[in-house]
Amino acid sequence: MSDDLLAAFIEDSKEHLESIESDIMALEDLEGAYDEELINRIFRTAHSIKGAAGFFGLNAIGSLAHKLENALHLMRDQKLRPDRPTCQILLEGFDQLNAMVNDPGSSECLDISDMLSRVQGLLTPEVKLGTETAMSLPSPKGQSIFDVDMFTLDQGLKGGKFLYHIEFDLIHDIHRKDKTPYDIIKTLQDSGLILDCKVDFDATGTLEDGFAQRIPLNVLFASIIDPDVIGMLIDVPAERIRELEKSMFQTQSPQGEKAAPPQACTLGDDSPWKMEDSQAVLLFGERFELSQIDEFRRCFLEAPPNNANLRLDMSDTRHVDAASLQALASALKTCAGLNRGLSVVIAQELREQFQKFGFAWMLENGS
């Protein structure tokens, strides 16, 4: 992937990982003694990579970095002894992480379950239970704003840290101010811990009702920075910074039943949709941007009325903007509400633009 934004993430991650082997070996040489500065440096490497991986849809990298982060949280609390066997597992985990960062395109295809299990095995039974207890912050409408395990939430609050829900707008706070989501990540990581971050899929609206002129990016942020000062750190209105308490989180309820399999349908000759096997396909041109959104909405609402899966074929598309990506997000939400499958097919060049605007998550949701 040659996208400048992803390249910056890879370069920063490689810089963090450059000294990881010597740091872990230095820790091992202490024969079980704790070196707070050394452990913190190793921890920040795992946390920095985990915090940014989600923006690029690099879920496997994020999962491994999170497991390593959990073990290092325990070590920072002096509840995990940095002896030779422990350091060896950490070293192998970071070696695997380094290989994945150097080839992010292939990282999602790797089976790292054994490595994840070995790192998870470093945790105490109590901490394991905490990492497996899913918590969520519900919105006033009942949807989950954040999903985080109990152990991560407790670590974020530890040491008198304040917990914040910060809502950025990918259009107004980031894109139109010539910033990137990665700029936001790096700024926040310099002064605290990012516990979770996600685009608010529901807030984009649906194509039937019209979509909002904003794309919220919600960040769950823990920091020692006082609520009176936090607004000076980030360039968003004060009403979009909310201080949280642990009591606001709920144990996550199990997911609902899967939707029924799609049924076949037929299309008229004048429909913008064409049938290919069991899917209704909508073809896109070379560009998809703000001026074409109304036409896209009209076409989408003319999709076959039955339960056929839909596919948006953007194989020939070479340019998108933030507004058109918001329209795609609204289409995904519309289909999700109807229990209807929707996939988005794009060229590699376009994938880099999705990543640039912080929409790699959409490809994951729409696959």
Side-chain angles (χ1 to χ4, degrees), residues 335-346:
C335 285
L338 297 173
N339 287 328
R340 191 172 198 177
L342 173 65
S343 60
V344 182
V345 178
I346 67 172

Side-chain angles (χ1 to χ4, degrees), residues 5-195:
L5 191 59
L6 181 59
F9 163 68
I10 294 172
E11 188 63 30
D12 285 348
S13 298
K14 289 168 67 175
E15 184 177 335
H16 284 301
L17 290 163
E18 191 174 41
S19 62
I20 202 71
E21 182 176 356
S22 60
D23 284 344
I24 294 177
M25 292 180 67
L27 191 61
E28 183 179 328
D29 288 342
L30 296 176
E31 300 180 347
Y34 294 94
D35 183 321
E36 182 178 351
E37 181 179 350
L38 192 56
I39 294 171
N40 281 337
R41 187 159 66 238
I42 299 170
F43 169 84
R44 296 302 298 188
T45 295
H47 179 73
S48 296
I49 294 173
K50 183 208 77 172
F55 279 94
F56 302 98
L58 302 175
N59 298 322
I61 290 176
S63 294
L64 180 53
H66 191 192
K67 295 290 187 186
L68 291 165
E69 178 190 51
N70 286 342
L72 290 158
H73 264 309
L74 210 56
M75 191 175 288
R76 293 206 304 176
D77 293 341
Q78 298 193 7
K79 295 180 180 178
L80 175 62
R81 190 167 176 261
D83 54 19
R84 187 174 297 275
T86 295
C87 288
Q88 185 60 36
I89 292 175
L90 291 178
L91 184 59
E92 292 176 11
F94 275 106
D95 281 345
Q96 177 70 73
L97 191 63
N98 190 30
M100 295 166 73
V101 166
N102 277 282
D103 188 10
S106 302
S107 66
E108 295 300 299
C109 303
L110 296 177
D111 181 4
I112 60 170
S113 56
D114 180 64
M115 191 72 256
L116 294 174
S117 178
R118 293 180 65 199
V119 177
Q120 182 78 351
L122 296 174
L123 308 182
T124 64
E126 180 183 1
V127 171
K128 282 183 183 178
L129 180 61
T131 63
E132 294 166 358
T133 302
M135 307 291 291
S136 65
L137 179 69
S139 72
K141 295 183 179 180
Q143 295 97 344
S144 175
I145 302 175
F146 296 114
D147 299 299
V148 62
D149 63 79
M150 184 180 293
F151 177 69
T152 298
L153 186 61
D154 287 340
Q155 289 298 313
L157 288 166
K158 191 173 181 178
K161 292 187 179 72
F162 296 99
L163 193 63
Y164 298 103
H165 168 199
I166 305 173
E167 181 188 304
F168 296 93
D169 185 334
L170 284 175
I171 295 179
H172 300 93
D173 297 328
I174 298 178
H175 178 54
R176 289 182 181 173
K177 294 182 179 180
D178 200 26
K179 297 180 182 178
T180 70
Y182 192 41
D183 294 331
I184 301 299
I185 294 176
K186 293 174 70 175
T187 297
L188 294 177
Q189 284 180 337
D190 286 341
S191 54
L193 300 176
I194 296 176
L195 307 186

